[in-house]
Amino acid sequence: MGTRAQNEIGLLICCCACAAIAGERESFTLQKYPSGHETYLRLAEKIETHLKDEILAKWFPACIDAEHGGFHARFNEEFKPEKDDTRALVYQGRMTWVSAQIAMRYPAMAATYKGYVRHGVKFLRDVMWDAECGGLFFLLNADGKLGVVGGEKHAYGIAFGMYALAAAYRATGDPDALELAQRTFKWFDKHAHDGDNGGYFEALTREGQPILSPPSPQKTRDLIWTQYGYKSMNSHIHLLEALTELHAAWPDGKVEDRLEEVFRIVRDKIVVPPGCMNLYFTPDWRAVPDHDSFGHDVETAFLLIEAAEALGKKHDEKTLAVARSLVDHALDFGWDKENGGFFDKGSAFGAAYGLEKIWWTQAEGLNALLLMHENFGKETPRYFEAFLKQWEFIWNFQADHRNGEWYEMVSREGVATPGKAKGQNWKAAYHNGRALLNTSRMLKEMDK
């Protein structure tokens, strides 16, 4: 990496700082620096400071619910707490996972964040786990009781439960976190694994029976808006990351087999040339046409490389080629060449038509672009130049330096959509938290 850093003369760096006056911010000024070495370190410092001061410091301890357990989800545009109506497994799992990552990454913060991890695990164990039928509930009322979705469960939510519990064990060493992760995997694999076609059925009854047809003419789509009876890209890429995390905490033979199986499904069935992903599939993995989600494309590039490394396939040529094709396609068809940032959606061969910029897509794009530079930077400056422009867009438009966190949605030019919450069941500190953790780490490693 040192040779590459020395050769990257004149690359642009986004030099930034929060303004001293509260509520103000300085836009990036593009300056040239004498070496890639300084570029990497300067960027790493800026990204890490942003993570700690404007993301983590806003969420924690504000999200800790000492009265009911778990994490508060609802924060308005000014990051002021609002009353929670529900408690979602996805959000609870994501905030537990983020807490675990911070505990593992920063020794000075470890004691505090391990406390947050244990707080999250307790809620998953005592409230989200179904003591009667097994498995983790997808959604409960704020008081922890069954609500509008009843006892219905879903692979997407269970994936984030496993993801969180495995990371919690790695961060704390607490055996109860690992035991619940194991119990969750065994229940889910027993009830939802598709032994004939591979992968997992997604929508489940409370007892764990796969729901393979719409329950009624009025209810045709499941809890993540997939048609009942079909499989989805969305669930399986998150099962991939959950199994990767679980394998790191518990290298069990069956876990490894399922990780390998889902990895190959995502890489070889869900991803298709020229570098996009189908959204929906029949149970036997025949694709159902729909739009291409650029955010999921770039996110999956990272998840495939991460899973390949867990399976002992680091630098696997086929996996790297597939991951690169996903990022290249997103840059070719979903990238805003004028302003920076990734659009929301488009098609395989046409111009993007969902031109809004969503917070999680920008985060995953930042992470994937730097990962591509780490692997292919010797061949082309394309990825690092795009990474710099992506960070510039995030800092100037997606990040809210007055109230903290990132705007959920901004226009093509970066104008924030008013009234959007900073926190809710689908918006946690997970996407941008992970991206900032990963990119600051990669930049420091590249400097070496």
Side-chain angles (χ1 to χ4, degrees):
M1 295 297 179
T3 301
R4 187 194 313 162
Q6 293 168 3
N7 290 337
E8 282 169 347
I9 307 295
L11 282 171
L12 296 177
I13 181 173
C14 302
C15 180
C16 59
C18 291
I21 302 174
E24 297 296 328
R25 72 172 183 219
E26 294 179 1
S27 295
F28 280 121
T29 56
L30 298 176
Q31 299 180 4
K32 291 185 178 181
Y33 281 80
S35 69
H37 166 82
E38 186 174 352
T39 299
Y40 289 149
L41 283 183
R42 190 82 172 267
L43 276 168
E45 291 170 2
K46 296 298 182 185
I47 289 171
E48 197 162 62
T49 298
H50 175 59
L51 169 65
K52 291 179 177 179
D53 293 351
E54 298 188 75
I55 306 299
L56 298 177
K58 296 301 297 187
W59 283 103
F60 298 97
C63 69
I64 303 300
D65 187 344
E67 181 180 358
H68 301 103
F71 300 99
H72 286 298
R74 292 200 60 80
F75 294 87
N76 68 13
E77 190 172 17
E78 298 177 348
F79 216 93
K80 294 179 180 177
E82 298 181 329
K83 182 180 179 182
D84 288 336
D85 296 321
T86 56
R87 289 296 171 93
L89 175 58
V90 172
Y91 177 84
Q92 298 299 322
R94 285 173 169 176
M95 294 305 283
T96 304
W97 182 87
V98 168
S99 300
Q101 297 305 310
I102 300 304
M104 288 188 280
R105 173 72 172 267
Y106 300 116
M109 303 166 72
T112 298
Y113 276 82
K114 284 181 182 179
Y116 300 152
V117 174
R118 293 180 173 116
H119 181 80
V121 170
K122 185 177 188 303
F123 190 79
L124 293 173
R125 182 188 65 233
D126 297 347
V127 180
M128 300 304 294
W129 179 262
D130 185 349
E132 181 179 338
C133 300
L136 291 164
F137 290 117
F138 186 84
L139 187 72
L140 297 172
N141 285 339
D143 60 5
K145 297 179 181 178
L146 294 180
V148 64
V149 305
E152 191 170 321
K153 293 161 186 170
H154 201 283
Y156 188 101
I158 290 169
F160 279 101
M162 290 191 293
Y163 191 51
L165 292 163
Y169 173 70
R170 294 179 62 211
T172 64
D174 293 347
D176 64 326
L178 180 60
E179 187 277 331
L180 187 55
Q182 294 168 331
R183 195 172 2 137
T184 301
F185 169 77
K186 291 174 182 177
W187 185 93
F188 178 64
D189 193 69
K190 175 183 176 181
H191 290 90
H193 183 251
D194 183 351
D196 294 327
N197 302 300
Y200 288 88
F201 299 112
E202 300 191 14
L204 307 170
T205 66
R206 180 176 181 179
E207 294 76 21
Q209 181 68 30
I211 306 173
L212 300 180
S213 60
S216 71
Q218 293 75 36
K219 189 179 182 184
T220 61
R221 292 182 179 266
D222 68 19
L223 296 169
I224 66 164
W225 210 240
T226 299
Q227 190 82 8
Y228 280 105
Y230 288 78
K231 292 172 179 173
S232 74
M233 168 275 291
N234 206 0
S235 288
H236 280 79
I237 67 168
H238 291 298
L239 285 167
L240 179 66
E241 72 179 327
L243 290 168
T244 300
E245 189 77 61
L246 183 61
H247 182 267
W250 179 42
D252 174 76
K254 180 171 277 191
V255 172
E256 184 167 341
D257 288 346
R258 297 294 190 247
L259 173 58
E260 177 82 37
E261 178 182 304
V262 174
F263 167 75
R264 291 186 179 278
I265 286 170
V266 173
R267 189 190 67 180
D268 303 337
K269 295 181 182 293
I270 293 178
V271 180
V272 293
C276 46
M277 296 193 294
N278 289 294
L279 265 66
Y280 306 114
F281 301 83
T282 60
D284 58 351
W285 294 105
R286 287 174 292 157
V288 178
D290 214 297
H291 67 269
D292 181 36
S293 168
F294 299 120
H296 287 109
D297 291 346
V298 292
E299 181 179 18
T300 300
F302 160 68
L303 296 178
L304 280 172
I305 292 174
E306 180 186 52
E309 291 183 4
L311 290 166
K313 304 176 191 290
K314 190 173 184 179
H315 304 307
D316 176 67
E317 290 186 8
K318 181 174 183 179
T319 302
L320 286 171
V322 170
R324 187 177 188 179
S325 75
L326 287 166
V327 178
D328 284 347
H329 182 268
L331 283 172
D332 290 340
F333 293 94
W335 172 252
D336 186 343
K337 296 177 178 63
E338 180 180 354
N339 302 302
F342 286 97
F343 299 126
D344 181 42
K345 58 190 172 185
S347 60
F349 301 106
Y353 53 80
L355 302 186
E356 61 271 25
K357 294 173 182 175
I358 314 298
W359 96 98
W360 70 267
T361 300
Q362 309 321 309
E364 297 299 344
L366 190 76
N367 187 34
L369 288 168
L370 191 59
L371 185 61
M372 290 301 104
H373 174 64
E374 185 178 45
N375 284 280
F376 303 108
K378 290 181 179 179
E379 299 177 21
T380 174
R382 181 189 198 191
Y383 304 114
F384 196 62
E385 290 172 355
F387 170 80
L388 291 173
K389 197 169 183 66
Q390 177 75 346
W391 176 238
E392 178 189 9
F393 183 86
I394 288 170
W395 179 268
N396 286 335
F397 302 110
Q398 204 85 42
D400 180 356
H401 301 289
R402 179 186 296 273
N403 300 303
E405 247 292 332
W406 293 8
Y407 293 111
E408 180 177 335
M409 182 187 300
V410 301
S411 68
R412 178 175 187 169
E413 296 76 19
V415 178
T417 302
K420 291 286 187 179
K422 287 289 173 54
Q424 36 97 344
N425 281 333
W426 292 101
K427 189 176 188 296
Y430 153 73
H431 285 288
N432 52 0
R434 180 173 68 184
L436 297 170
L437 277 168
N438 285 352
T439 53
S440 60
R441 174 187 54 78
M442 279 190 280
L443 288 163
K444 291 178 180 179
E445 289 175 354
M446 288 177 192
D447 178 62
K448 298 175 183 177

